[in-house]
Amino acid sequence: MNGPLMIDVDGLELTAEDRELLRHPLVGGLILFARNYRDRQQLQQLVGAIRAERPEILIAVDQEGGRVQRFREQFTRLPSMQALSARADSAQLREVGWLLAAELLAVGIDFSFAPVLDADERHCRIVGDRSFCADPTGVAVRVRPFIAGMREAGMATTGKHFPGHGHVLEDSHEELPEDDRTLDEVMASDALPFAECIGAGELDAVMPAHIRFVQVDSQPVGFSRFWLQWVLREQLSFDGVIFSDDLSMEGAGAAGGYAARIRAALDAGCDMGLVCNNRAGALEALAELEGFQPSAESAERLQRMRGRPVINSWAALEDSERWQKARAWLATWM
């Protein structure tokens, strides 16, 4: 069973403390960053060491393309989603989604926190060219073939940042943005890609934004039962995983310290909380969770995030005509 906390590690290899933490039953996930990557061989050794400690742990990464691509050398360089969607047709979007997922799965990563469903309406610092385009309706049209490709490769999808981060200018890594629109206004615009993809059964997980919608609820979305239980679960009938965004971000500070943040996220309805780049914060969150019992429903949802690779080695990937064609197309304009 996967515990409700996702942590990170500092280096290219596991330390003794890392190994001890990974064995903790309440740690259910590990997110990797660029600092954890030198080359594919080292990455596969690291993944193997992680699996040796906890075979069932979920291993994730932010591998969106553009400025958010943690593994670059020896992986296919991916354009930003905005640049890609401006040039690609639906079939090409599908192939790039497949390639992104297939490369990660081939080295043992379960999933990338992708795709970004935010519409880049106001050139928000945190979103920008990570978005497929500026129009929410256009995002839905462009993202669905990309999602289809990811799922064909065997990877679960995570739509972020619910209900949409593109209308505010502030970066929630640095502060808590506030949006003064009504619920109806948000649901008729930014939330459209989420609603459409959920309605089509194409999202396996959702990551809420660290944004406070002041006319809707006093709590930021990731700590709000209104947003996560009433809107996401009840109104949109979403039955997948809810991951918190990183609880080390300044936008999460409204809840208090790390113990309060992880408790607020889980109480609101998150299945798993992320604490990244702050080991002391992760330990504080873990101490707060002592005795916590994940529900059977949450555990079952998290198991759906395990990678199910159609191609399970890099050598087999290189022999794949689909991979070769997708790389060749990207090489013509990257």
Side-chain angles (χ1 to χ4, degrees):
M1 180 179 290
N2 291 94
L5 184 65
M6 179 173 280
I7 63 168
D8 60 348
V9 295
D10 281 340
L12 301 174
E13 300 175 348
L14 296 180
T15 65
E17 182 183 68
D18 293 335
R19 293 177 186 276
E20 182 180 357
L21 270 179
L22 289 172
R23 290 192 294 267
H24 197 294
L26 292 177
V27 172
L30 179 73
I31 182 170
L32 297 175
F33 291 91
R35 66 173 181 269
N36 304 123
Y37 180 74
R38 181 176 59 228
D39 54 44
R40 283 202 314 271
Q41 182 180 10
Q42 169 271 323
L43 178 62
Q44 288 178 285
Q45 289 172 346
L46 176 60
V47 169
I50 295 164
R51 298 277 187 217
E53 299 296 335
R54 286 289 296 281
E56 78 280 14
I57 200 167
L58 296 172
I59 304 179
V61 67
D62 287 316
Q63 185 89 339
E64 301 170 11
R67 58 193 164 100
V68 183
Q69 180 171 348
R70 308 306 189 199
F71 310 147
R72 294 177 180 267
E73 298 302 322
Q74 300 184 351
F75 279 75
T76 302
R77 291 293 186 101
L78 300 171
S80 71
M81 291 301 99
Q82 200 162 102
L84 175 69
S85 65
R87 183 160 183 160
D89 60 26
S90 292
Q92 290 162 336
L93 286 166
R94 189 181 195 122
E95 294 310 292
V96 177
W98 179 88
L99 179 143
L100 179 155
E103 290 193 344
L104 293 175
L105 290 164
V107 296
I109 307 297
D110 288 304
F111 63 94
S112 173
F113 283 112
V116 170
L117 298 188
D118 306 306
D120 183 28
E121 298 171 86
R122 300 180 66 190
H123 306 293
C124 168
R125 297 197 301 273
I126 195 174
V127 178
D129 64 0
R130 297 167 67 191
S131 168
F132 279 75
C133 67
D135 172 54
T137 302
V139 170
V141 170
R142 289 164 172 80
V143 79
R144 290 187 65 191
F146 190 88
I147 285 174
M150 291 178 67
R151 301 186 91 197
E152 285 171 5
M155 180 173 285
T157 57
T158 304
K160 60 186 186 185
H161 306 81
F162 178 79
H165 209 305
H167 192 80
V168 295
L169 296 175
E170 298 82 7
D171 183 342
S172 51
H173 288 93
E174 302 168 359
E175 57 187 307
L176 176 61
E178 292 190 343
D179 191 318
D180 62 1
R181 292 175 298 167
T182 66
L183 177 62
D184 287 345
E185 289 172 326
V186 175
M187 297 306 293
S189 55
D190 293 59
L192 283 174
F194 294 91
E196 184 163 334
C197 292
I198 290 169
E202 296 166 344
L203 285 184
D204 301 288
V206 163
M207 177 177 283
H210 289 314
I211 297 176
R212 180 186 286 127
F213 289 84
V214 294
Q215 292 201 55
V216 181
D217 190 20
S218 62
Q219 295 297 321
V221 179
F223 301 142
S224 166
R225 290 188 62 83
F226 178 85
W227 278 110
L228 301 188
Q229 297 296 327
W230 191 81
V231 178
L232 193 53
R233 294 286 190 212
E234 297 295 328
Q235 298 302 303
L236 297 182
S237 300
F238 179 65
D239 67 350
V241 173
I242 303 177
F243 289 104
S244 82
D245 204 347
D246 182 7
L247 297 175
S248 298
M249 293 164 61
E250 289 299 319
Y258 283 89
R261 295 179 198 190
I262 189 66
R263 181 61 64 181
L266 297 182
D267 285 349
C270 290
D271 296 291
M272 182 172 280
L274 282 67
V275 178
C276 310
N277 304 308
N278 191 314
R279 178 56 61 85
L283 293 173
E284 182 183 332
L286 201 55
E288 171 65 18
L289 293 176
E290 286 297 334
F292 181 87
Q293 292 292 326
S295 69
E297 293 81 7
S298 183
E300 191 277 330
R301 286 192 290 262
L302 285 165
Q303 277 301 305
R304 298 181 216 158
M305 300 303 295
R306 288 299 301 269
R308 295 172 175 82
V310 174
I311 298 175
N312 59 13
S313 75
W314 199 272
L317 190 63
E318 289 183 334
D319 287 338
S320 162
E321 184 179 0
R322 187 172 187 179
W323 182 77
Q324 294 168 7
K325 286 183 175 180
R327 277 176 58 90
W329 178 74
L330 284 170
T332 64
W333 61 283
M334 278 294 289

